[in-house]
Amino acid sequence: MGWFLFDEVLSPQEMSGIALGIGGILLVIMMKKGRPVGLEGRNYLVGILFGLGGAIGQVANLVTAKYALISGYSALSATWIRTFVAVVIMWGIAIAMGRARRTIVACSAPDVGRWLFLGAFIGPALGVWLSMVAVQNANVGIASTLMALPPVLLIVYEGVVLRRPVGLQAIVGTCMAFGGVALLFLH
C-alpha cells in the first residue's frame, strides 16, 4: 500500500529484511504451546477474526496517519488527536454496553491505577507517538515491520529477564527477526 499510495519503493535489501523479519515473527508466534483453556472452537475463531480486524485497523491507521504526516504535520499533535478520538469512542462503547461504572471501579482499585497509568504512558502515549514519528520518517512497510516485533521482544524478555526456557523455534525465529531488522538498518 505504501508503494501504491505514496510511491514508496523498497530496495531488494529492504524487502529481504522485511521478509526475514516477518518470517521470524511468524515462526515465534506459531510456536506450538496449545491453546489456552476456553479458547476452543467458536471462541478461538472469534479471537482470530478480531485479531484480523485489528490488523486491518492498524494498516488503515498507518495509511491515514501517513497522509497527514507527509505534509509536515506534527507526530505529537497527531498522537494527541488520535488519543482523544480513541478515548471518546471507547467511553461511548463502554456507556453503550453498560460497562462505564464497572470500568471506573476497576480503574480505582488499589494498585491497579498506577499500573494502568504506566501502561497507558508506555503504550498509547509513548508507543503511538514513536510509531507516528516512524511512519513520518520511514517507508510504511519498514515502520510496520518494526512495529510487529513485540512477540519477538517478549521471547527475549522471557528468556533473558525471567530466565524461563525458550524453545529452539523461538530462538531461531528471534534470530531471523533480528537479522531482518539488521538488514533494514544496514541499508
Side-chain angles (χ1 to χ4, degrees):
M1 289 188 75
W3 169 74
F4 180 70
L5 297 172
F6 307 112
D7 294 325
E8 295 178 346
V9 178
L10 298 172
S11 71
Q13 182 177 340
E14 290 170 328
M15 287 188 272
S16 297
I18 290 172
L20 191 59
I22 296 298
I25 293 165
L26 284 173
L27 196 58
V28 166
I29 64 173
M30 301 295 279
M31 289 188 313
K32 294 182 179 172
K33 287 191 172 187
R35 294 182 188 153
V37 176
L39 292 182
E40 304 281 333
R42 185 177 186 280
N43 287 341
Y44 187 72
L45 179 61
V46 168
I48 296 293
L49 290 174
F50 273 87
L52 182 60
I56 292 168
Q58 287 288 59
V59 168
N61 151 43
L62 293 177
V63 168
T64 56
K66 183 81 174 186
Y67 275 113
L69 296 170
I70 58 175
S71 62
Y73 195 76
S74 163
L76 185 59
S77 296
T79 303
W80 274 104
I81 292 168
R82 294 157 50 85
T83 302
F84 175 75
V85 171
V87 166
V88 169
I89 291 171
M90 295 309 293
W91 276 108
I93 292 170
I95 291 167
M97 294 179 72
R99 294 188 179 181
R101 178 174 160 73
R102 185 170 138 189
T103 302
I104 292 168
V105 169
C107 290
S108 60
D111 292 335
V112 171
R114 94 178 118 187
W115 290 110
L116 286 176
F117 179 79
L118 181 62
F121 172 74
I122 292 170
L126 188 60
V128 171
W129 173 56
L130 292 175
S131 72
M132 292 296 96
V133 173
V135 168
Q136 187 173 39
N137 293 290
N139 288 341
V140 174
I142 292 173
S144 62
T145 299
L146 295 173
M147 286 182 251
L149 288 174
V152 173
L153 298 175
L154 287 172
I155 293 293
V156 173
Y157 174 78
E158 189 170 343
V160 174
V161 177
L162 300 179
R163 299 189 187 275
R164 292 183 184 156
V166 293
L168 181 61
Q169 184 176 351
I171 292 168
V172 170
T174 300
C175 290
M176 285 174 60
F178 286 152
V181 170
L183 281 175
L184 294 175
F185 278 97
L186 291 175
H187 182 66

